[in-house]
Amino acid sequence: MRNRVTHLALGLLAIIGLGTGTALAAECTAKVEDPIAVTDPALCRELQDAIRDPAGVPLDRYEDIYTEFFGNWCHRDTDQGWVRDVTVRDTGPYTATFIDGAWHSRYNGTHSPVVIWYSPEMYAWMQENRAPEDEGFGPDQSPVPDGAIIVKEMFPAPANTCRDVAVEHLFPTHGAAFMVRQESASADGWFWGYQGWTQAYLDWPADNDSNALPNSGFGMYCVNCHVSARDNGTFSALDNITGTPDTVTMFLDMSPADIGLQDATAALTPSFHDSVVNPVDPAGRLGEPALGYLPDFLEAYPYPDGADKPQLEARLMMPPQTYDHVYMPDHVDPDTGQLLTSDQCLGCHDAGSTGLYFDMTAIDSDTGSLVNLSPYATWGTSPMGLAGRDPIFFAQLASETQTFHADEVPLVENTCLGCHGFLGQRQYDIDQHAATGECGSFSRELVSAVPWPSDAPEAANADYGALARDGISCMACHRMVLGADDTAEAAELAENACALERQQLLNAGLSGFGLTFTGSYLLGPSDELYGPFEDPKTVPMQNALDITPKHNDTIMEAELCGACHTVHLPVLHEGKTIGHIYEQLTYPEWSFSAYRDGTSPDGDLPHGAGETPQTCQQCHMPSVNEDGSPTLSKIASIQEFSRSADTAFIAGPDAIDLPVREGFARHDLVGLNLFLVMMGKQFPDIMGIRTQDPMMLDLAIDPLDYTADAIVQQAQNATATLKVTDITHSDAGLEATVTVENLVGHKFPSGVGFRRAFLTFEVLDDLGKVLWASGRTDGMGRLIDENGDPIAGEIWWDEQCTARIDPEARAHQPHFQVITEQSQAQIYQELVSTPGDGDNPQCGLGAEPAGQLTTSFLSICTEVKDNRLLPHGYLPEDQRIDIALALGANEEMAIDAGSTAVGDDPDYADGKSNGTDTLIYRIPADALDGNPADVRVQLHFQATPPFYLQDRFCTAQGDDRDRLYFMTGHLNLEGTIAEDWKLLIADTQPVAVP
């Protein structure tokens, strides 16, 4: 049926003489010989009720309805009371500039030139509310009635090329944007759609080749302009219907016909709005993966059981981003609230969304392209924006539920997806509790729920899947409540009942801010959002979403990040919870460092601010330029009065003109996980994401490229430094001292425990040949010795994934103060072990490692090693305890934030850290195969070390494992800063041996 509708539309073009290859008259390319009229009046009458009820059927069925309705030109049925504008008219100025001997034209309309058709209900309403005497900023006398329809047929620019042609002989070459009023269906009260006669633009079924922004639906990005109407979301004016061609809204027209250059060629830049609706390739790859599995990969990770390796197939594809669309209903139950996907924000908080103004951008000095610095663009491709589609996370979850804790699947999935799928898990809990009085158990299966086919059972859960896949999205932060007073109020809201239950499950015994750990914070009322700027303009967001933006200082507090970046988890063992442990302490590490600001939402903390206070946001959401001056920008892109004063029935400047804000923050939110971003660049089809920003298109650097560059800049300029000193060479051998300095505000590495960094120390001859090396790697980033064999700790499983290699030995590289062999490497990492055997395994502080090394988040019994680089000014344990208790945590958090198995290394002495580690490389003369000329030291980072990947492939099964296997097996890092699966952080370059 859906393909048949498309073919009907194309067949109709042939009938009226406007095929895709037809050359039309030069003066008006939309002109057709025969008048366009209703094709089948009886069919139009049959569809008149269905077209007016878009919420009455699923979108795929409604797409069929409107395609058939418009394909039969039912909206031109004047016998049924439809009326239209008196003539084709511009929606903005048409400008021409003479450059290098040629005219270059640009159309600056919000749409292409239009003839708007109005249904009888809409026309009657306009007669009562939108006559010339009704002009002004005040509200309309009455609401637009349900079932009213506006159809904006669009034509070539400028309008004067077709103004002399009777409208009946004009074919809408640029399609039609249409609006159907259904006030009870959504907050803004309109269904927004796009009809193409030369091509059908159907959102369902979505496909992984485009992952495009939806063209039709409730809650569409169109509101970025329409919320600026004075009322009812429309600028419709009776003058355009009842006037004359000379009295309709007019704009500047510099087309050649007006400036006496009819024979000149003007290169026309098309309507930007048309480009947004019809993007060329929104999911194009930004890097070419390997054509086949990489040989180094297959050598390191043979596919388990010798089975056929996964190939590119449908089962590996994440659902297309097109489906990630959850809008605000007209009425929100105060007991449930409604969380929204980020596409409800992008219309205003993405740059260029009006197609006319480009606030929130800068010019890239290297390429001359624009850089999209808007909240949506910078967040969307960050690890936060990709969290709900992260193939590494989903493979980890598969290991947890299939191997590590198969007897606790609901607890594991609900806990883990409460962070990576925050909005979906939280909304599911809210709705389940409202319906049954019990909290739900959000599952991996729900993450994959999509609305098509609309009659499939999973379609009923599509909103939860969309919210979960949207990652750590806008509302996850902008509805967060912190501080004792606000939290007490929020605790009374029914929507937080399950969040309170989660707090007791994960954070029992903690209090205050400590209860929010592991993403267990409360949400504010569903009709409020919080931001950092005072006196926000409220009308646009209220018109679009029935939400009031409010100023709240806590959104600039480090605790906003700390609620999720302090991870407190149960220790699961043989189906029981035997304790709780801190899996991740990034926020506490900062709060114990020289970068702490000494405050919290509840007041000052013990021991005050550090020597160089700087919050998480100041590093990861920079709001200053390179010269240190504050960034200046508007924070949204909407239709403003001062820029659109000629628009009829627009709201007044006090309501919609946005001020320039000082300290506009880029939502970069990056760490060092370049590998995930590279996966997004090379496999957008598998991850189901767009690579091109849906508003800026090719006017700006693609967001994934921007994010990758932000990671590289952070890695090389703001993470760590290296120096090599005291180089000596004698008959006994060569010796050198290496010092690494941590520049970040927490441990390095930080975050999930499997991240690691390591030093590569090389001795080179005068031709650059490596004579000796510690920390060299193979093509997959495995640390190897001089014979090419992986060193201790790099391989956990046998080649067939049938058994761990001597798991009780817990083989690994210890922390070194002196390295003498090529089989030794200084690795900065945290390693943890499972509970040991027996009826009463001991876990937590003071427990000796008794189990095996593990990558399971929920099996962490005790630390085996933690020699990660401490930040500058790290406080002694007693002062850390003071701060931990003040935050509502416990002593364990402060003690666990220390170091483990570092011996007597003075760089890790309690309270003495200066953010560095110094070690000596002492190489015996007989180990040097030649005469040393230089030494070189590099610091590398691995987000997913080889032992971690091997553990995923050996402990998980099914689609989530195979997706990660395929992507890592084809990820092409050659020639990049992450070649050989190691991200370069610092490099001394060759330093001469005296």
Side-chain angles (χ1 to χ4, degrees), residues 67-412:
T67 302
E68 198 164 19
F69 184 85
F70 294 121
N72 283 278
W73 306 99
C74 297
H75 65 289
R76 290 194 177 194
D77 193 346
T78 55
D79 290 342
Q80 293 298 313
W82 285 78
V83 299
R84 61 167 172 81
D85 291 344
V86 66
T87 187
V88 60
R89 57 186 176 85
D90 287 314
T91 62
Y94 182 96
T95 58
T97 307
F98 193 71
I99 303 174
D100 296 332
W103 285 98
H104 296 263
S105 302
R106 181 178 183 86
Y107 188 68
N108 299 284
T110 52
H111 294 271
S112 295
V114 296
V115 171
I116 300 182
W117 291 80
Y118 308 89
S119 70
E121 307 95 323
M122 189 66 201
Y123 180 52
W125 177 85
M126 291 169 64
Q127 290 175 307
E128 295 179 359
N129 293 272
R130 292 297 177 89
E133 58 270 22
D134 296 318
E135 279 280 8
F137 300 144
D140 297 320
Q141 297 180 39
S142 61
V144 175
D146 277 3
I149 304 174
I150 302 170
V151 184
K152 306 175 185 179
E153 292 186 347
M154 295 182 282
F155 302 93
N160 70 20
T161 61
C162 293
R163 191 166 288 141
D164 294 335
V165 179
V167 170
E168 291 73 21
H169 287 267
L170 289 178
F171 177 83
T173 53
H174 292 57
F178 65 93
M179 303 162 58
V180 182
R181 185 66 165 178
Q182 197 159 25
E183 190 173 12
S184 61
S186 67
D188 68 89
W190 291 96
F191 180 95
W192 310 85
Y194 179 77
Q195 164 70 16
W197 280 273
T198 58
Q199 180 179 349
Y201 294 90
L202 305 178
D203 294 326
W204 294 4
D207 70 88
N208 288 75
D209 290 331
S210 69
N211 303 305
L213 196 67
N215 287 296
S216 301
F218 292 101
M220 298 294 289
Y221 66 88
C222 317
V223 297
N224 61 356
C225 289
H226 284 264
V227 293
S228 297
R230 76 172 193 185
D231 199 4
N232 281 288
T234 176
F235 304 100
S236 297
L238 194 64
D239 254 2
N240 294 321
I241 303 172
T242 59
T244 69
D246 296 325
T247 62
V248 297
T249 304
M250 304 289 280
F251 295 90
L252 172 69
D253 185 348
M254 296 177 65
S255 59
D258 290 339
I259 57 179
L261 293 171
Q262 291 90 338
D263 297 329
T265 299
L268 174 63
T269 300
S271 161
F272 196 78
H273 182 272
D274 292 342
S275 300
V276 169
V277 173
N278 308 314
V280 175
D281 192 6
R285 299 187 195 281
L286 300 180
E288 288 301 320
L291 295 178
Y293 278 97
L294 295 164
D296 285 346
F297 176 85
L298 292 179
E299 180 182 349
Y301 311 114
Y303 191 66
D305 303 323
D308 291 338
K309 299 180 292 296
Q311 302 300 321
L312 185 61
E313 48 193 306
R315 69 184 180 91
L316 303 186
M317 303 290 185
M318 289 290 288
Q321 199 173 7
T322 309
Y323 290 136
D324 295 355
H325 178 74
V326 179
Y327 59 88
M328 183 66 81
D330 172 59
H331 173 70
V332 177
D333 188 331
D335 285 340
T336 61
Q338 179 63 58
L339 296 168
L340 308 176
T341 45
S342 59
D343 71 332
Q344 299 303 291
C345 307
L346 78 84
C348 298
H349 294 286
D350 193 0
S353 52
T354 63
L356 299 175
Y357 326 129
F358 296 92
D359 300 300
M360 303 180 288
T361 65
I363 298 175
D364 180 63
S365 57
D366 293 332
T367 64
S369 296
L370 289 175
V371 181
N372 187 344
L373 302 177
S374 68
Y376 175 80
T378 51
W379 160 83
T381 50
S382 74
M384 300 279 278
L386 298 175
R389 295 175 173 273
D390 182 351
I392 304 162
F393 164 76
F394 284 109
Q396 173 77 42
L397 186 60
S399 292
E400 299 281 2
T401 57
Q402 295 170 3
T403 299
F404 301 145
H405 302 293
D407 48 1
E408 293 280 2
V409 172
L411 171 62
V412 172

Side-chain angles (χ1 to χ4, degrees), residues 58-61 204 450-460:
L59 179 61
D60 54 343
R61 291 170 59 188
W204 294 4
V450 295
W452 189 88
S454 56
D455 56 355
E458 69 172 25

Side-chain angles (χ1 to χ4, degrees), residues 721-972:
T721 62
L722 273 178
K723 65 179 179 179
V724 57
T725 59
D726 301 329
I727 305 172
T728 62
H729 182 214
S730 66
D731 292 343
L734 184 147
E735 184 171 303
T737 299
V738 173
T739 300
V740 191
E741 181 180 9
N742 179 12
L743 302 181
V744 302
H746 41 70
K747 289 182 181 180
F748 173 68
S750 189
V752 291
F754 54 80
R755 311 275 198 233
R756 75 178 188 181
F758 62 88
L759 291 174
T760 301
F761 181 94
E762 296 175 329
V763 182
L764 311 173
D765 68 11
D766 56 358
L767 296 179
K769 176 185 174 183
V770 177
L771 304 178
W772 189 98
S774 161
R776 73 176 95 200
T777 66
D778 63 13
M780 290 310 298
R782 296 187 299 177
L783 291 162
I784 57 175
D785 62 18
E786 65 271 29
N787 300 314
D789 296 324
I791 64 176
E794 291 300 278
I795 297 177
W796 286 14
W797 289 81
D798 62 25
E799 286 193 1
Q800 292 75 37
C801 284
T802 56
R804 287 282 295 267
I805 300 172
D806 196 9
E808 303 304 325
R810 295 179 293 278
H812 65 280
Q813 294 292 303
H815 176 72
F816 291 100
Q817 295 185 61
V818 179
I819 284 180
T820 60
E821 299 178 12
Q822 297 183 76
S823 60
Q824 299 171 333
Q826 185 75 315
I827 307 174
Y828 299 107
Q829 64 184 163
E830 179 187 32
L831 293 173
V832 295
S833 73
T834 63
D837 295 332
D839 295 333
N840 187 29
Q842 298 300 303
C843 296
L845 296 178
E848 291 294 324
Q852 56 186 262
L853 294 178
T854 185
T855 61
S856 168
F857 286 25
L858 295 156
S859 298
I860 300 172
C861 181
T862 190
E863 280 186 343
V864 175
K865 172 190 176 185
D866 183 0
N867 71 331
R868 293 173 295 171
L869 291 165
L870 298 173
H872 278 274
Y874 210 55
L875 294 173
E877 185 177 289
D878 59 340
Q879 294 182 25
R880 299 201 304 266
I881 290 174
D882 292 340
I883 294 173
L885 295 177
L887 290 169
N890 49 26
E891 292 187 4
E892 182 181 354
M893 185 178 84
I895 298 170
D896 194 32
S899 302
T900 300
V902 293
D904 61 355
D905 191 331
D907 293 315
Y908 293 83
D910 190 35
K912 304 297 184 182
S913 170
N914 59 1
T916 63
D917 177 45
T918 297
L919 67 155
I920 295 171
Y921 288 83
R922 185 173 295 145
I923 304 160
D926 59 6
L928 293 169
D929 185 20
N931 188 39
D934 301 292
V935 298
R936 183 178 187 176
V937 188
Q938 294 177 319
L939 178 66
H940 296 280
F941 170 79
Q942 291 177 324
T944 51
F947 70 82
Y948 175 84
L949 285 176
Q950 188 189 40
D951 211 33
R952 295 291 67 70
F953 303 146
C954 293
T955 59
Q957 298 178 4
D959 297 346
D960 288 338
R961 187 270 309 271
D962 287 350
R963 180 184 304 110
L964 182 64
Y965 190 89
F966 180 88
M967 293 172 73
T968 52
H970 290 79
L971 187 65
N972 182 8

Side-chain angles (χ1 to χ4, degrees), residues 678-749:
M678 293 295 286
M679 290 179 189
K681 292 176 63 172
Q682 295 184 22
F683 305 104
D685 49 348
I686 296 178
M687 291 181 66
I689 59 174
R690 304 180 275 275
T691 55
Q692 189 181 74
D693 183 81
M695 297 291 111
M696 288 297 290
L697 306 178
D698 58 3
L699 282 183
I701 295 171
D702 289 314
L704 280 163
D705 284 334
Y706 171 85
T707 297
D709 183 66
I711 292 173
V712 171
Q713 294 302 317
Q714 178 139 311
Q716 298 198 322
N717 300 323
T719 298
T721 62
L722 273 178
K723 65 179 179 179
V724 57
T725 59
D726 301 329
I727 305 172
T728 62
H729 182 214
S730 66
D731 292 343
L734 184 147
E735 184 171 303
T737 299
V738 173
T739 300
V740 191
E741 181 180 9
N742 179 12
L743 302 181
V744 302
H746 41 70
K747 289 182 181 180
F748 173 68

Side-chain angles (χ1 to χ4, degrees), residues 412-427:
V412 172
E413 290 186 334
N414 200 55
T415 298
C416 298
L417 290 168
C419 288
H420 272 257
F422 176 86
L423 297 184
Q425 187 273 342
R426 188 63 69 95
Q427 189 68 58

